[in-house]
């Protein structure tokens, strides 16, 4: 997909912005929902282990009616899942 290698670096950056937007002072609901939908569309191309959990959290983040702190919480949970995956890769670099 346009030379995309499945890296989560950019996704982590967007999720960090959403996580830090707990009070809605940096991003609007519309912007957060747009980021959520875009990341949801990219999810099949990402190299992630917990894609079902992340998919649910991204879908929730992009739905209407959630306050900023709930969207922030969802972003934080996705970041934790990605960090756990990264730690597993560091602990078992061969995948065993």
């Amino acid at each position: 997909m346009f030379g995309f290698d499945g890296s989560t670096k950019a996704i982590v950056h967007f999720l960090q912005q959403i996580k830090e937007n707990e009070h809605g002072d940096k991003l609007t609901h519309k912007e957060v929902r747009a980021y959520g939908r875009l990341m949801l569309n990219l999810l099949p191309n990402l190299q992630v282990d917990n894609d079902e959990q992340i998919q649910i959290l991204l879908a929730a983040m992009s739905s209407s009616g959630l306050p900023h702190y709930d969207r922030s919480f969802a972003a934080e949970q996705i970041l934790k899942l990605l960090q756990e995956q990264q730690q597993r890769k560091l602990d078992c670099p061969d995948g065993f």
Side-chain angles (χ1 to χ4, degrees):
M1 186 171 117
F2 305 109
F4 183 66
D5 66 355
S7 172
T8 59
K9 290 178 186 176
I11 301 297
V12 167
H13 174 74
F14 291 127
L15 289 168
Q16 193 66 40
Q17 286 183 317
I18 295 168
K19 177 187 168 207
E20 294 170 1
N21 193 52
E22 185 175 347
H23 303 292
D25 52 349
K26 297 174 186 159
L27 298 169
T28 66
H29 285 290
K30 186 176 182 178
E31 291 169 323
V32 173
R33 290 179 64 207
Y35 280 138
R37 287 189 304 271
L38 292 169
M39 288 184 282
L40 191 57
N41 285 333
L42 281 176
L43 188 60
N45 300 303
L46 296 176
Q47 298 168 356
V48 295
D49 294 339
N50 304 318
D51 60 339
E52 288 119 8
Q53 290 173 304
I54 293 173
Q55 183 178 17
I56 289 169
L57 290 166
L58 286 173
M61 186 188 307
S62 63
S63 67
S64 61
L66 287 179
H68 282 290
Y69 57 85
D70 285 342
R71 297 176 202 278
S72 173
F73 175 77
E76 181 178 10
Q77 296 309 305
I78 295 168
L79 286 168
K80 284 181 183 178
L81 290 169
L82 293 174
Q83 288 169 351
E84 289 170 4
Q85 174 182 319
Q86 183 64 30
Q87 188 60 46
R88 282 192 303 274
K89 286 182 180 179
L90 291 173
D91 293 343
C92 299
D94 296 331
F96 296 108

